[in-house]
Amino acid sequence: MAHSRFVKDRGLTARMTLVMFLLGLLFVVLVVGLMAVFRSPGLGLLIGVAGLGLVWWQWYSSDTVAMKAMRAREVTPQQAPELHGMIDRLCALADMPKPRVGIADNRLPNAFATGRSPERAVVVVTTGIMQTLNAEEL
């Protein structure tokens, strides 16, 4: 894989890793707590398997869940040429594959990227951020 032109932010990476670890720990504590409350061996095993299934489902469908949560829709280059052009340029600068592009009809300025792999990645922007910022700022 080629190196990115962007400088690595080790502080951001450390904070994100800490948050992911703490969320995982919270989930494990919740599942173990449920298993302790329901002491039946069969039910405890079922809770453990359900917890693992939930973790797998969250990982597998993260892009779809995030888009549905924001009520975003995927757009084509014909529907949003300027947005696709910006993302094309950023991907070329970072030497990475282009993700899918989505727009959420929301007046609050926001944008995010999600996905479990480069093939499932999606970048979503709100209509609010596109109206608030000019093309250079966006």
Side-chain angles (χ1 to χ4, degrees), residues 16-129:
M16 289 176 64
T17 303
L18 177 65
V19 168
M20 286 181 9
F21 173 76
L22 291 174
L23 285 172
L25 180 64
L26 179 65
F27 187 77
V28 168
V29 167
L30 176 68
V31 169
V32 169
L34 284 174
M35 290 171 74
V37 168
F38 301 103
R39 296 182 195 267
S40 169
L43 192 55
L45 181 63
L46 181 64
I47 291 171
V49 169
L52 289 174
L54 183 61
V55 167
W56 178 84
W57 179 80
Q58 287 176 331
W59 168 79
Y60 186 79
S61 61
S62 61
D63 56 322
T64 306
V65 170
M67 286 189 67
K68 285 183 180 180
M70 286 294 294
R71 297 186 185 123
R73 67 188 190 290
E74 194 171 336
V75 293
T76 64
Q78 293 77 25
Q79 293 170 319
E82 289 181 10
L83 183 58
H84 271 271
M86 277 186 255
I87 293 174
D88 282 334
R89 288 188 295 278
L90 285 172
C91 289
L93 284 172
D95 193 26
M96 59 189 294
K98 182 181 176 186
R100 296 175 297 149
V101 178
I103 294 179
D105 188 23
N106 190 325
R107 63 185 186 91
L108 296 174
N110 196 8
F112 65 90
T114 186
R116 68 178 185 271
S117 66
E119 295 79 31
R120 298 293 303 170
V122 62
V123 172
V124 177
V125 298
T126 63
T127 52
I129 201 167

